Amino acid sequence: MGKIISAVTDGIDGIVGAITSTVSDATATAAQLTTLATSFAVTPSASLKAPALKGYAVGLHKNHAFNRSLLLSDDQQDIGPLIKSTMKAALAKSQNVFASTYTGDTGIRSDNGLVNNYCGNGADAQPSDPTVEAAIVQLKQQLSQNFVNWQFPVNDDMLQNMAQTMVLEVFTKAGTGDTSVGTYSISNNQSIDWTLTYGLFSITESPSTQGLIYAFSAAFNSGF
């Protein structure tokens, strides 16, 4: 399992650059990223005003002409912007699913990022597998930092439970873009509600390496 790099910490530009420099088939990688961005796309509400609607669409992913230019290009330098665009699309999807799933929650916080050199074990993944264990440890650290920053309650059991659930979900279902939702109950009237959007893309073909794009949204439901 590669290192998890979050957008709320330093390192995104560096890891995007590292991926861009090692891509073996820029056209194929661009196609995969474009497919992910399309699968994450959210239809803006018709009630949005025109200026907001335009900005919202740009925030999701680049327009079709931009994507077509990448698909026709072998320039590795085009991959970096498309990775970031796809990350934004994943974040918008996560936030949209959160808002539609947990309609009573307020104060939603979010994070998105990358895992370089992703390694998973598919449908047979178990918590005891080394790559799964490493991913759970890293995600626990990331969740802990996020929750402290967001002033959410933090305890080890909660972080372990959430990280294990999310990592196994990604390992068993990653490939095409997908979103999962979950709730961790702290007490009878308090919980952490979350959504996780994720997808894989190819970095190199031989040896085969993949990158994982993710976006995480959460809110502390205090019961009030």
Side-chain angles (χ1 to χ4, degrees):
M1 184 73 180
K3 184 173 178 58
I4 295 173
I5 307 294
S6 165
V8 298
T9 64
D10 294 332
I12 285 293
D13 288 340
I15 203 68
V16 169
I19 290 173
T20 299
S21 66
T22 55
V23 165
S24 60
D25 187 338
T27 300
T29 299
Q32 290 175 321
L33 288 165
T34 301
T35 298
L36 281 178
T38 301
S39 72
F40 295 149
V42 177
T43 302
S45 171
S47 64
L48 293 176
K49 296 180 180 179
L53 182 64
K54 181 177 179 181
Y56 189 82
V58 170
L60 290 176
H61 59 285
K62 300 295 185 180
N63 59 39
H64 294 302
F66 177 87
N67 286 337
R68 276 201 304 274
S69 71
L70 284 173
L71 289 174
L72 297 173
S73 174
D74 289 325
D75 186 354
Q76 289 179 320
Q77 297 306 311
D78 289 336
I79 299 299
L82 187 51
I83 289 174
K84 292 185 177 182
S85 178
T86 307
M87 287 173 58
K88 290 180 181 179
L91 183 59
K93 180 69 172 181
S94 174
Q95 293 170 332
N96 180 267
V97 171
F98 190 100
S100 62
T101 305
Y102 302 110
T103 55
D105 272 344
T106 57
I108 295 174
R109 300 291 183 265
S110 57
D111 180 20
N112 60 340
L114 293 163
V115 179
N116 192 19
N117 295 327
Y118 170 89
C119 178
N121 293 324
D124 295 327
Q126 297 295 327
S128 60
D129 291 338
T131 53
V132 180
E133 288 181 337
I136 291 171
V137 169
Q138 287 190 48
L139 187 54
K140 278 181 65 177
Q141 294 172 344
Q142 189 59 56
L143 289 175
S144 178
Q145 177 176 323
N146 286 350
F147 286 5
V148 168
N149 291 344
W150 301 339
Q151 298 183 327
F152 285 5
V154 177
N155 68 69
D156 190 72
D157 287 344
M158 175 178 69
L159 295 174
Q160 178 71 25
N161 180 286
M162 293 178 66
Q164 181 170 309
T165 298
M166 292 178 189
V167 167
L168 289 179
E169 185 77 10
V170 172
F171 274 42
T172 56
K173 295 174 65 177
T176 56
D178 206 349
T179 301
S180 299
V181 300
T183 295
Y184 181 87
S185 296
I186 300 171
S187 64
N188 289 336
N189 64 346
Q190 292 185 333
S191 65
I192 301 289
D193 299 327
W194 56 265
T195 61
L196 183 72
T197 298
Y198 50 86
L200 290 175
F201 64 97
S202 174
I203 298 175
T204 63
E205 295 180 342
S206 181
S208 177
T209 61
Q210 293 178 307
L212 170 73
I213 284 177
Y214 77 88
F216 173 68
S217 299
F220 171 48
N221 187 341
S222 64
F224 297 104

